[in-house]
Amino acid sequence: MRVLGIESSCDETAVAVVEDGRVVRSNAVASQVPIHARYGGVVPELASRNHVVDILPTLEAALERAGVRMEEVDGVAVTAGPGLVGSLLVGLEAAKALAWAFDLPLVGVNHIEAHLMSPLLEYDGPSGISGTPEGAFVGLIVSGGHTHLYEVQGVGRYRLLGATRDDAAGEAFDKVAKMLGLPYPGGVYIDAAAKAGRRDAVRFPRPMLHSDDYAFSFSGIKTSVLTHLQRSGAARPEGEALADVCASFQEAVVDVLIAKAFRAAQELGLRDVVIAGGVSANSRLRERALEVATSQGRRVHIPPLWLCTDNAAMIAGLGAHYLRALPAGSRFEGFALNASSSLPMGALPPTCAS
Ligand code: KG4
Ligand code: ZN
């Protein structure tokens, strides 16, 4: 089965072709980062307008790179939520038009679920850490909007163990970066600056590290960074001081994420841990995850960088599993498929027109 995936939930327009739910034939991404960078964050109105401009060239690029014509595609999967509604609608409309014009089945999938299941794809090129998980695993989703820990039994079978009570991990990275005068998207710049810094230069708090649940909280670390900057008298540190703040902040966030994910694995008796979403691109998080997994005899799976940030390969990959489950003969999830910012994970399409 050859699935065309479409993703437009935030500021990346992405189209991919995936075979058998695993093999990535192409993964085209048009990034809007330079457009939003000057505003210090994603401007929803601009994001939607640019998706409209980018969607067809990205589709053409994905088909060309895969060496596939639309007539050779067996189904379409599209991100239906969560995300910016105006952005989601552009991808949804493109997906519906293609499904209708080429008489193809169509499914809407959950963006977060797609991140979580992205290690099920086979990677071509620089691979993620430790390949594909086998059986049940603990899944940590860390992105700009989510910090959620799940027990995953298989596709569509998830149990939420805990989530952030305030900021998502990526949001904390982005807000601290803004405070430090670093460009958007902040996580990438903090990661880069931290490489030259001392991780123990400033002792920032590790909120909820020892709480007896799997909840997270990151707004306190952010406030501590602000207090530290005010006390140190340098609101915009540079050079060594900047590197030290970045390394120390990053270490605090990474400590909590790693501790909770691996404690869950231990308590649930699961060997495999998956870390996915934009923040899983963080070099220190990857390094620590591998260290802890090795010391505990577990396996950690983190997708390669191109699969960590928003992409359509993960949408097509997960979509293939749901397309296979559609009742025989059904063509569309229904023309009623719509963007939803509260789309549940693991839900099969509500209606299937036959
Ligand atoms: O998954 P994603 O691309 O979009 C959402 O669905 O949110 O995640 C974006 C988030 C941003 O907050 C960005 O700063 C963060 O991922 N991020 C990083 C790194 N690369 C991206 N955070 C820390 N270190 C990185 N290297
Ligand atoms: Zn994402």
Side-chain angles (χ1 to χ4, degrees), residues 86-337:
S87 288
L88 288 164
L89 291 176
V90 178
L92 272 164
E93 270 308 292
K96 282 189 186 186
L98 288 168
W100 180 73
F102 293 92
D103 198 14
L104 295 170
L106 168 71
V107 282
V109 303
N110 180 301
H111 178 90
I112 301 304
E113 184 181 351
H115 271 304
L116 186 61
M117 303 310 278
S118 59
L120 297 184
L121 292 167
E122 279 172 15
Y123 317 124
D124 194 17
S127 95
I129 298 175
S130 294
T132 304
E134 288 152 29
F137 59 86
V138 165
L140 174 68
I141 293 293
V142 270
S143 73
H146 287 75
T147 300
H148 284 48
L149 195 61
Y150 290 94
E151 178 186 0
V152 181
Q153 292 291 339
V155 175
R157 294 163 63 207
Y158 316 106
R159 182 164 72 94
L160 182 64
L161 300 171
T164 182
R165 295 194 172 160
D166 39 61
D167 291 348
E171 195 179 351
F173 268 98
D174 294 343
K175 286 178 176 171
V176 166
K178 212 168 185 173
M179 242 183 245
L180 294 168
L182 293 171
Y184 167 85
V188 180
Y189 290 90
I190 289 190
D191 192 350
K195 288 194 193 330
R198 291 169 298 156
R199 299 193 280 264
D200 57 357
V202 191
R203 180 72 197 172
F204 291 123
R206 270 74 173 153
M208 308 190 70
L209 182 64
H210 301 296
S211 69
D212 59 1
D213 56 17
Y214 296 116
F216 300 89
S217 166
F218 294 106
S219 74
I221 310 185
K222 184 188 66 190
T223 312
S224 302
V225 175
L226 186 62
T227 311
H228 168 77
L229 294 178
Q230 284 163 348
R231 283 205 192 124
S232 69
R236 288 283 162 91
E238 288 173 6
E240 220 172 273
L242 173 67
D244 282 350
V245 173
C246 288
S248 302
F249 160 75
Q250 178 173 274
E251 198 66 9
V253 175
V254 167
D255 266 357
V256 182
L257 293 173
I258 293 291
K260 294 242 159 155
F262 282 89
R263 204 182 76 209
Q266 204 159 16
E267 287 178 3
L268 297 170
L270 294 174
R271 190 195 58 168
D272 291 57
V273 174
V274 161
I275 307 180
V279 180
S280 64
N282 184 268
S283 60
R284 181 65 182 151
L285 180 66
R286 297 169 88 90
E287 186 178 70
R288 290 268 286 124
L290 200 54
E291 269 170 26
V292 175
T294 307
S295 74
Q296 293 187 0
R298 294 184 204 287
R299 284 171 32 127
V300 66
H301 312 272
I302 311 183
L305 295 185
W306 60 267
L307 251 186
C308 287
T309 45
D310 287 349
N311 66 87
M314 66 180 189
I315 304 300
L318 179 61
H321 292 276
Y322 288 122
L323 283 164
R324 277 196 212 110
L326 280 179
S330 57
R331 287 171 52 222
F332 299 108
E333 183 178 30
F335 287 117
L337 179 60

